[in-house]
Amino acid sequence: MSQFEEHLIAKIHPEVSPLWAVADSDGLFRSDEVARLLAARGVEILVYDDPMAFRFRYEHEIRPRLESGDSGCHVIVVDPGTDGLRCLPADIYLACHQIAIALGDLFPSLSRKVLRELEPAVLSGLWDKKHQFPGNVLGERDTADLVLRMAYRIEPAFLNSLQDIVQVLVRIHFAGTRLPDVLALRLEQIAGPLTGQMDGLRDLIRNPGTFWQFLQTRWDRWLIPPIDSTVGEFISTEISFEESQLRVWMDNLFIEGFLKPLETAPAKLPHPWCKVGIAKKDGAASGEELATMRRRL
């Protein structure tokens, strides 16, 4: 259990009151992990989103338990909106022990707009690393950079070329990681100047299928570079698969089916390990050879 969840559930004390109301504008008490941890302490979460349905359940289940002295505890989670907890019926409002929880209180130096798009697990990880936050208050862009760095291992300062962007996207898409929109937009802002505002950059970051198609085309062009008909020379490609941070992924990308082997092998392969990207009939590596290549990578 993360210290983040511990901090949240520590605000609820069943021995103080059997009925709590939480003004939860950022949905922190709606996470499955918080609900599970509270349930283990005999605390049940109730979301107040349908007044009539809630009133029916309160009158038929919760009030009888409260009046009978049942030892259980209930937490009513409310999105406070403009009315705060006063959106609750008056009798329930008066019966509850009331607290408020918000991202701005938990992470006062970070942008709430960015934080609201993060998954609970990411917030938990940030909470555990909050001692590494800078002392000053960060705006939206700097908060996005901090989250990219700490939660996704993407260091914006180290992104200096299309090669760097591709290496990051290989790792992200291979793992099935979906960047929240606010972080995808920030990565797009960083990558734009590095790629000459390349067409389709947005889809490369957000759409794994589009990215793998792009990488497939670049692999084919890298193995068999197109020739400039005017001078009869090979046209260099903007991505090198020899770079160690990209090369290390290549066997897995073909074995797992993210990339398809090239049907026609070039007259000469740049390196023996490139056999992993050539169809078997043209001399692709055997299973034993692939295992050897993987160890070398």
Side-chain angles (χ1 to χ4, degrees):
M1 175 173 58
S2 164
Q3 294 179 4
F4 183 63
E5 282 81 17
E6 289 181 355
H7 182 77
L8 293 178
I9 67 173
K11 295 180 176 294
I12 305 299
H13 302 281
E15 68 279 6
V16 172
S17 174
L19 191 62
W20 292 69
V22 179
D24 183 20
S25 56
D26 297 310
L28 298 172
F29 267 74
R30 299 187 184 217
S31 79
D32 293 339
E33 181 65 5
V34 169
R36 184 186 69 80
L37 293 171
L38 284 176
R41 299 173 58 188
V43 180
E44 181 181 3
I45 285 183
L46 306 168
V47 178
Y48 184 79
D49 52 10
D50 183 331
M52 292 186 65
F54 183 86
R55 170 59 78 178
F56 180 86
R57 185 174 181 187
Y58 182 81
E59 294 298 335
H60 288 79
E61 295 182 26
I62 301 173
R63 187 194 292 276
R65 293 177 188 171
L66 296 174
E67 293 177 347
S68 68
D70 189 289
S71 60
C73 179
H74 296 84
V75 173
I76 304 170
V77 176
V78 182
D79 183 348
T82 57
D83 296 329
L85 290 175
R86 291 192 176 275
C87 64
L88 290 169
D91 60 322
I92 298 177
Y93 174 83
L94 294 173
C96 292
H97 192 93
Q98 302 162 19
I99 63 171
I101 187 76
L103 286 168
D105 298 326
L106 298 169
F107 300 97
S109 65
L110 303 184
S111 166
R112 180 171 178 260
K113 181 178 179 181
V114 174
L115 295 175
R116 289 199 71 179
E117 291 196 28
L118 304 182
E119 296 289 335
V122 176
L123 290 173
S124 295
L126 288 176
W127 181 265
D128 294 341
K129 298 176 182 177
K130 65 182 186 298
H131 61 281
Q132 300 177 28
F133 294 175
N136 56 308
V137 176
L138 303 182
E140 183 178 336
R141 186 190 70 176
D142 289 337
T143 296
D145 286 354
L146 179 144
V147 175
L148 285 172
R149 182 183 308 115
M150 289 190 171
Y152 295 92
R153 296 187 297 114
I154 300 173
E155 175 50 77
F158 293 165
L159 300 179
N160 299 303
S161 65
L162 174 61
Q163 181 83 26
D164 295 336
I165 298 297
V166 167
Q167 289 167 179
V168 163
L169 292 179
V170 165
R171 176 169 56 81
I172 290 294
H173 290 317
F174 184 88
T177 302
R178 177 191 172 277
L179 290 177
D181 287 342
V182 67
L183 299 184
L185 176 61
R186 177 58 185 146
L187 188 57
E188 185 180 345
Q189 292 170 344
I190 296 169
L194 304 176
T195 61
Q197 303 298 334
M198 183 175 63
D199 291 341
L201 177 60
R202 179 185 180 90
D203 281 343
L204 293 184
I205 294 171
R206 291 168 168 80
N207 189 323
T210 300
F211 174 74
W212 296 125
Q213 185 177 12
F214 164 84
L215 196 64
Q216 179 77 61
T217 300
R218 294 309 189 274
W219 168 258
D220 295 348
R221 287 177 56 183
W222 185 72
L223 279 184
I224 308 179
I227 298 177
D228 186 337
S229 58
T230 60
V231 295
E233 296 180 354
F234 287 114
I235 301 174
S236 62
T237 59
E238 61 272 65
I239 298 174
S240 172
F241 291 86
E242 294 174 300
E243 291 288 339
S244 60
Q245 292 188 55
L246 185 53
R247 174 183 166 182
V248 72
W249 289 95
M250 296 311 298
D251 63 335
N252 285 323
L253 294 183
F254 284 104
I255 292 171
E256 299 294 333
F258 291 99
L259 298 181
K260 296 180 181 180
L262 192 64
E263 291 293 333
T264 303
K268 182 179 179 181
L269 290 174
H271 304 281
W273 65 261
C274 295
K275 288 181 181 181
V276 71
I278 305 297
K280 186 174 178 58
K281 64 180 180 180
D282 288 322
S286 65
E288 183 177 349
E289 289 171 329
L290 289 177
T292 301
M293 289 179 201
R294 181 178 296 171
R295 289 193 293 271
R296 290 175 179 171
L297 291 176

